[in-house]
């Protein structure tokens, strides 16, 4: 895979989990020594970096993309982990900790503030005044995401993986990635036509389609 923007390949190859501290959270953070990200764009609530475990707990509790330890203080970043990774720059005084915690059970959308995806490639649009209605529409349509810009929700029919890879900075936008856009619908279709209750077996194409959407829902790209 390509190195994130602003990050050298050697940095990514040497990325490790936090030094052993006895915390289970350490396995859910990627550490980038000598890297800063989104400098000056800090969420409220800077705290001392004397206990990395407490900083990690706070980062996960707030649902932030990461934090930066710089000169004995922890600066939290409310942007998504994708935005934090892309914005990393060299800074010998800083260490960036990226929050790789999987979504909580029941979370059906991954939110990327100040980011757009696949701009101009819209399948449908509606008012964003009711976000719950937008989410329902996205699930019903089986779209990979929708983007809210200036009170309008623009729906993307591309896969989750394509929508995630298409993320770009946009201060006026907020992207909602559908974590399981087509899996439920395809799963029901598979059950209805298979031996579990239907009268025929899945075709090779239908099976491949279902597998690809399952992989997309987990953000996995086959080599």
């Amino acid at each position: 895979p390509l190195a994130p923007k602003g990050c050298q390949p050697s940095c990514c190859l040497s990325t490790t989990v936090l030094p052993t501290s006895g915390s289970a959270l350490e396995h859910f953070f990627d550490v980038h020594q000598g890297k800063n990200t989104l400098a000056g764009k800090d969420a409220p609530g800077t705290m001392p970096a004397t206990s990395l475990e407490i900083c990690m707990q706070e980062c996960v509790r707030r649902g932030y993309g990461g934090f930066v330890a710089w000169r004995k203080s922890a600066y939290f970043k409310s942007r998504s982990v994708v935005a934090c990774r892309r914005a990393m720059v060299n800074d010998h005084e800083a260490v960036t900790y990226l929050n790789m915690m999987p979504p909580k059970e029941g979370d059906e959308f991954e939110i990327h503030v100040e980011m757009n995806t696949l701009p101009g490639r819209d399948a449908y649009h509606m008012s964003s005044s009711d976000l719950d209605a937008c989410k329902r529409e996205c699930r019903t349509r089986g779209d990979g995401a929708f983007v809210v810009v200036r009170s309008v929700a623009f729906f993307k029919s591309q896969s989750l993986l394509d929508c995630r890879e298409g993320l770009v900075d946009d201060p006026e936008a907020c992207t909602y990635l559908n974590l399981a856009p087509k899996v439920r619908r395809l799963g029901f279709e598979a059950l209805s036509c298979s031996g579990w209750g239907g009268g025929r077996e899945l075709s090779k194409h239908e099976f491949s389609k279902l597998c690809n959407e399952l992989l997309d829902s987990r953000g996995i790209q086959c080599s």
Side-chain angles (χ1 to χ4, degrees):
L2 296 176
K5 186 182 295 184
C7 180
Q8 300 302 315
S10 58
C11 167
C12 289
L13 290 174
S14 63
T15 296
T16 58
V17 297
L18 289 171
T20 302
S21 65
S23 169
L25 280 179
E26 67 186 33
H27 302 294
F28 295 102
F29 280 81
D30 282 345
V31 182
H32 292 263
Q33 299 282 346
K35 295 288 180 179
N36 203 331
T37 186
L38 300 170
K41 298 180 179 179
D42 310 313
T46 298
M47 62 188 294
T50 50
S51 173
L52 289 177
E53 182 176 349
I54 292 176
C55 293
M56 286 186 283
Q57 290 173 351
E58 188 65 14
C59 186
V60 171
R61 185 185 70 80
R62 298 187 193 183
Y64 290 164
F67 66 94
V68 177
W70 187 78
R71 296 186 179 179
K72 299 182 180 181
S73 293
Y75 298 86
F76 295 94
K77 310 296 177 177
S78 60
R79 299 282 301 277
S80 69
V81 67
V82 173
C84 291
R85 189 184 296 279
R86 289 183 179 178
M88 285 195 300
V89 295
N90 293 327
D91 183 342
H92 71 277
E93 293 187 281
V95 183
T96 292
Y97 299 85
L98 298 180
N99 180 7
M100 306 303 293
M101 181 70 71
K104 297 176 183 177
E105 183 140 3
D107 286 353
E108 296 186 333
F109 285 87
E110 184 179 285
I111 303 173
H112 294 265
V113 179
E114 295 185 15
M115 298 197 87
N116 203 329
T117 186
L118 306 173
R121 299 169 62 183
D122 310 315
Y124 176 69
H125 69 271
M126 62 183 282
S127 169
S128 65
S129 58
D130 186 342
L131 271 180
D132 287 336
C134 293
K135 291 177 180 179
R136 287 195 298 271
E137 184 68 20
C138 190
R139 288 193 295 266
T140 300
R141 293 174 50 84
D143 289 340
F146 68 92
V147 181
V148 174
V149 182
R150 298 176 183 175
S151 302
V152 178
F154 298 90
F155 294 82
K156 312 294 179 175
S157 60
Q158 295 81 358
S159 71
L160 169 64
L161 197 57
D162 286 341
C163 291
R164 182 180 279 121
E165 290 181 344
L167 286 167
V168 293
D169 290 335
D170 184 340
E172 294 187 295
C174 183
T175 294
Y176 295 78
L177 295 180
N178 188 358
L179 296 181
K182 301 177 184 177
V183 172
R184 285 200 183 100
R185 176 174 57 79
L186 289 172
F188 283 124
E189 290 176 359
L191 288 174
S192 67
C193 69
S194 69
W196 289 97
R200 67 178 179 86
E201 294 182 354
L202 286 174
S203 68
K204 181 178 179 180
H205 172 73
E206 289 169 332
F207 180 75
S208 297
K209 187 177 180 182
L210 177 59
C211 289
N212 287 334
E213 288 299 338
L214 284 167
L215 291 170
D216 275 0
S217 73
R218 295 298 182 183
I220 300 170
Q221 185 171 18
C222 295
S223 57

